[in-house]
């Protein structure tokens, strides 16, 4: 092992806004004190309810990824028990479905408010 994954960092236009979106999606706390993190202006950290750490950094010229483009690199998977209820909840938070009206029976793909793809996945 060379190292340990510390967190996933997402560029976005507004770090606090996107951190709040993901806080509502996966739970946890935004901005709690932690000696490992020095979060300055334009950045935010979310410690998810089940342990994941997502960091957000504001970028003035942020360009969201394009779903399905060859340069698409990754998406975040979020496990949910009820896909239909979770769909309604994330759309109400500002997520945009990326896989049409129905999606797959096991998952649905969305863009967060900054355009990053994430997938709601059934167990």
């Amino acid at each position: 092992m060379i190292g340990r994954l510390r967190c996933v960092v997402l560029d976005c236009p507004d770090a606090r806004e996107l951190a709040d979106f993901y806080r509502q999606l996966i739970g946890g706390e935004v901005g709690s004190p932690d000696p490992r993190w020095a979060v300055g202006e334009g950045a935010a950290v979310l410690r998810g309810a089940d342990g994941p750490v997502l960091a957000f950094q504001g970028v003035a010229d942020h360009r969201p990824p394009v779903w399905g483009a060859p340069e698409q690199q990754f998406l975040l998977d979020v496990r949910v028990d009820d896909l239909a209820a979770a769909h309604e909840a994330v759309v109400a938070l500002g997520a945009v479905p990326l896989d049409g009206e129905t999606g797959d029976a096991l998952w649905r793909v969305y863009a967060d408010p900054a355009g990053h793809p994430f997938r709601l996945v059934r167990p």
Side-chain angles (χ1 to χ4, degrees):
M1 177 174 76
I2 295 171
R4 296 186 177 163
L5 181 64
R6 186 172 181 185
C7 70
V8 173
V9 180
L10 299 172
D11 288 350
C12 55
D14 185 320
R16 183 59 194 225
E17 179 181 294
L18 197 56
D20 284 338
F21 171 85
Y22 279 99
R23 179 189 53 78
Q24 293 177 76
L25 178 59
I26 66 171
E29 189 175 343
V30 175
S32 63
D34 186 324
R36 296 172 298 176
W37 305 98
V39 178
E41 190 173 326
V45 173
L46 168 65
R47 282 161 202 73
D50 287 332
V53 176
L54 297 176
F56 307 90
Q57 58 187 16
V59 175
D61 61 347
H62 171 70
R63 287 176 286 146
V66 176
W67 177 248
E71 63 273 5
Q72 182 68 47
Q73 298 297 314
F74 74 95
L75 71 154
L76 301 172
D77 272 358
V78 177
R79 183 183 173 271
V80 298
D81 293 324
D82 183 332
L83 195 55
H87 166 82
E88 296 300 324
V90 299
V91 168
L93 290 175
V96 176
L98 294 176
D99 58 359
E101 289 299 314
T102 58
D104 187 277
L106 298 176
W107 66 78
R108 294 284 317 264
V109 181
Y110 302 84
D112 68 23
H116 303 101
F118 69 95
R119 184 168 51 189
L120 298 179
V121 181
R122 285 187 358 179

